[in-house]
Amino acid sequence: MLDWFLRDEAGRIAAVDRLAVLDTPPEVPFEKIVDLIRTILNVPMATVTLVDRDRQWFLARRGIAAQETPRAISFCTHTIQQRDPLLVPDAHLDPRFMDNPLVQGDPRIRSYAGVPLRTAEGYNVGALCAIDTRPRTFSDAEVNILVNFANIVTDELELRLIAQRDHLTGALTRRGFVEQAAKQFAAYTRHGRPGALIMLDVDHFKTVNDSHGHAAGDQVLRQLAELCSSVMRPNDAFGRLGGEEFALLLPDAAPAEASAVAERFREMIEVYPFEIGAGRTLQVTVSLGVASLDLSTTSVDCWLAAADTLLYRAKQTGRNRYCTDALVENV
């Protein structure tokens, strides 16, 4: 069965994407692991590497300046194609790597030990690596140490996935959503790629809970999340920021497109019969704030605050409408 997972590159890439850690800032748990590997195994370089479509990206690294390198020249591409650790005692003597620019040039890799990072599904999403600039045979004990640390890395990644999902609605948690927004903001600042954020809040939700009970309110939130998720694009992200407040991230969406999406969501929710038990249904509406990335967006927090301000304006001006940063409203 595992051999099938090794051949399923599309599934493997999907597993990498589900982790939602590519292009995110450094995190302490993974930084500590590479520090420990470098100390315990006495190597100048150690990495937690994720292998993307065309690159290897370092979730954590020590002794290597680059944040990423092309996949075509990566040692880790070979690591993820097998079940067992990849051990290279001397890259100068290995026909797979002797002419590799990472061997002939910086960081001058000479020996390498890499352990596949395998998800619970069975996909190798990357590798935990110990790298030296001199020829070296890694002992069984050293490889076992690396294997144990690799298990810790994959456990941490799996725990992150659990923590990123709201238990009631299945939407991203606030933390998970902010991480996705940070990736889009980085794409904007580096490459000028557009993006928009829609924040939405259920109108008069306290009345729903007071009149029909909290169980009915929970059903409304659960169905709203399912409804919104069912019409999203594959690359969009939907999260529950707290209470009855949700947000939709629209990568590569221009302002006009974001406004059209906001109106489509508003109309869809307004007419949807939310089931609250015992054959009863309930109509609810939402207010929305739409904020697009532009030169005034200096951080993810600034972006979220802009959408929140526009959402508040929609509520102040009558609810069941959206407001955008272009001050366009819809009722």
Side-chain angles (χ1 to χ4, degrees), residues 36-68:
L36 286 168
I37 289 171
R38 195 161 70 160
T39 300
I40 296 171
L41 299 189
N42 190 27
V43 291
M45 294 172 276
T47 68
V48 176
T49 307
L50 295 176
V51 181
D52 198 5
R53 293 164 178 81
D54 302 309
R55 60 172 176 160
Q56 62 171 2
W57 184 81
F58 303 124
L59 181 59
R61 68 194 192 279
R62 290 292 183 271
I64 293 178
Q67 179 69 70
E68 62 183 59

Side-chain angles (χ1 to χ4, degrees), residues 313-331:
R313 181 182 299 159
K315 285 190 170 293
Q316 282 186 313
T317 54
R319 293 183 171 86
N320 190 23
R321 66 182 63 202
Y322 71 85
C323 287
T324 77
D325 35 17
L327 302 183
V328 177
E329 297 182 0
N330 185 287
V331 295

Side-chain angles (χ1 to χ4, degrees), residues 7-290:
R7 296 193 302 269
D8 181 17
E9 177 63 8
R12 195 196 67 79
I13 290 296
V16 173
D17 290 340
R18 278 193 294 275
L19 294 175
V21 292
L22 290 172
D23 300 309
T24 56
E27 293 194 40
V28 171
F30 306 113
E31 299 285 297
K32 285 183 177 179
I33 287 173
V34 290
D35 280 335
L36 286 168
I37 289 171
R38 195 161 70 160
T39 300
I40 296 171
L41 299 189
N42 190 27
V43 291
M45 294 172 276
T47 68
V48 176
T49 307
L50 295 176
V51 181
D52 198 5
R53 293 164 178 81
D54 302 309
R55 60 172 176 160
Q56 62 171 2
W57 184 81
F58 303 124
L59 181 59
R61 68 194 192 279
R62 290 292 183 271
I64 293 178
Q67 179 69 70
E68 62 183 59
T69 65
R71 179 174 174 177
I73 61 172
S74 72
F75 281 59
C76 294
T77 287
H78 296 266
T79 305
I80 66 170
Q81 292 170 354
Q82 59 187 50
R83 306 183 186 195
D84 300 320
L86 174 66
L87 304 177
V88 182
D90 189 343
H92 286 183
L93 303 178
D94 192 314
R96 295 171 297 178
F97 305 113
M98 58 175 58
D99 297 322
N100 190 298
L102 302 177
V103 174
Q104 296 299 322
D106 289 335
R108 302 205 173 274
I109 297 172
R110 192 69 183 269
S111 54
Y112 168 98
V115 175
L117 298 175
R118 186 171 303 133
T119 67
E121 304 164 290
Y123 291 106
N124 289 344
V125 292
L128 180 63
C129 312
I131 305 166
D132 210 330
T133 55
R134 59 186 176 87
R136 172 173 179 168
T137 299
F138 290 90
S139 69
D140 289 344
E142 289 171 328
V143 173
N144 284 335
I145 289 171
L146 206 56
V147 168
N148 288 333
F149 276 121
N151 290 335
I152 293 172
V153 171
T154 53
D155 287 347
E156 179 68 24
L157 290 171
E158 294 291 343
L159 286 172
R160 286 169 53 89
L161 279 179
I162 294 170
Q164 284 182 336
R165 290 291 170 182
D166 175 58
H167 72 280
L168 173 65
T169 64
L172 290 170
T173 61
R174 185 179 187 91
R175 172 184 171 178
F177 184 84
V178 170
E179 287 180 358
Q180 292 298 306
K183 291 173 63 176
Q184 183 60 35
F185 179 72
Y188 171 72
T189 55
R190 293 174 188 171
H191 310 296
R193 289 174 55 185
L197 191 157
I198 300 174
M199 199 169 289
L200 59 131
D201 188 272
V202 181
D203 295 328
H204 304 295
F205 188 69
K206 185 177 184 300
T207 302
V208 174
N209 282 331
D210 290 346
S211 301
H212 304 282
H214 288 277
D218 286 349
Q219 290 189 58
V220 168
L221 296 180
R222 189 181 299 112
Q223 292 170 67
L224 186 145
E226 291 173 354
L227 181 63
C228 293
S229 298
S230 70
V231 296
M232 286 168 26
R233 302 175 305 176
N235 292 334
D236 294 343
F238 186 75
R240 184 185 182 192
L241 303 190
E244 65 272 23
E245 187 174 79
F246 296 86
L248 175 69
L249 180 68
L250 302 172
D252 301 316
E257 182 182 0
S259 294
V261 170
E263 173 59 7
R264 186 166 72 249
F265 272 52
R266 187 198 68 79
E267 290 180 338
M268 176 181 66
I269 293 167
E270 182 182 31
V271 299
Y272 188 81
F274 290 88
E275 298 178 2
I276 58 173
R280 297 176 299 163
T281 60
L282 188 66
Q283 305 297 133
V284 301
T285 62
V286 294
S287 299
L288 310 96
V290 186

